[in-house]
Amino acid sequence: MIEDADELAARVKRINEATERVRGHAQSADGTVYVETDARGAITDLRLSSYAREHDPDRLAALIADRHRVAYTNAEAEAERIFTELSSEYQPSSFGPASRRDVRGPGRGESGDRGYVI
């Protein structure tokens, strides 16, 4: 059972490390806005072209918000894919079948955070 616990702890660490490296990207069609986010939705890179000020401020704000949403959606999907792939490799021998039902993915933490809970 200790081997399973050690294996589970190592798997959780790999999942967390892998999902923390995930980034989602989105760029506007005209190249005015580029947004990069992590899997929790934090903006990690925001670039505005030199001609971004030519847009109406409300239009530019809407464009940034939209590209943020798309980048975040992309990052979240990739994190979910990684989580599913890495967590499905774990086959507990001592924890029994109920432990498979207790594995939760992104956004399913009891505290309301968007962390990965196993």
Side-chain angles (χ1 to χ4, degrees):
M1 183 156 159
I2 291 176
E3 290 178 29
D4 283 339
D6 290 342
E7 182 182 335
L8 179 60
R11 181 162 315 283
V12 168
K13 183 179 178 184
R14 281 194 302 275
I15 290 170
N16 287 337
E17 289 172 350
T19 56
E20 285 187 20
R21 289 189 302 266
V22 168
R23 296 293 182 263
H25 311 270
Q27 183 169 343
S28 61
D30 65 358
T32 301
V33 175
Y34 170 86
V35 179
E36 176 186 274
T37 71
D38 63 17
R40 293 184 174 159
I43 295 174
T44 55
D45 192 11
L46 173 63
R47 299 179 200 167
L48 303 176
S49 69
S50 59
Y51 51 89
R53 287 181 275 174
E54 295 173 9
H55 285 282
D56 171 72
D58 291 337
R59 168 79 175 115
L60 183 58
L63 193 56
I64 292 169
D66 178 67
R67 295 297 85 194
H68 173 260
R69 181 188 53 75
V70 171
Y72 175 42
T73 298
N74 292 340
E76 194 174 38
E78 178 63 10
E80 181 73 33
R81 185 195 66 75
I82 289 169
F83 176 85
T84 300
E85 180 181 307
L86 293 178
S87 63
S88 69
E89 294 172 6
Y90 181 65
Q91 298 297 322
S93 59
S94 301
F95 295 131
S99 65
R100 296 289 284 171
R101 290 190 299 271
D102 293 337
V103 175
R104 293 173 285 188
R108 292 168 182 86
E110 291 177 20
S111 66
D113 67 350
R114 300 206 50 86
Y116 289 79
V117 180
I118 293 191

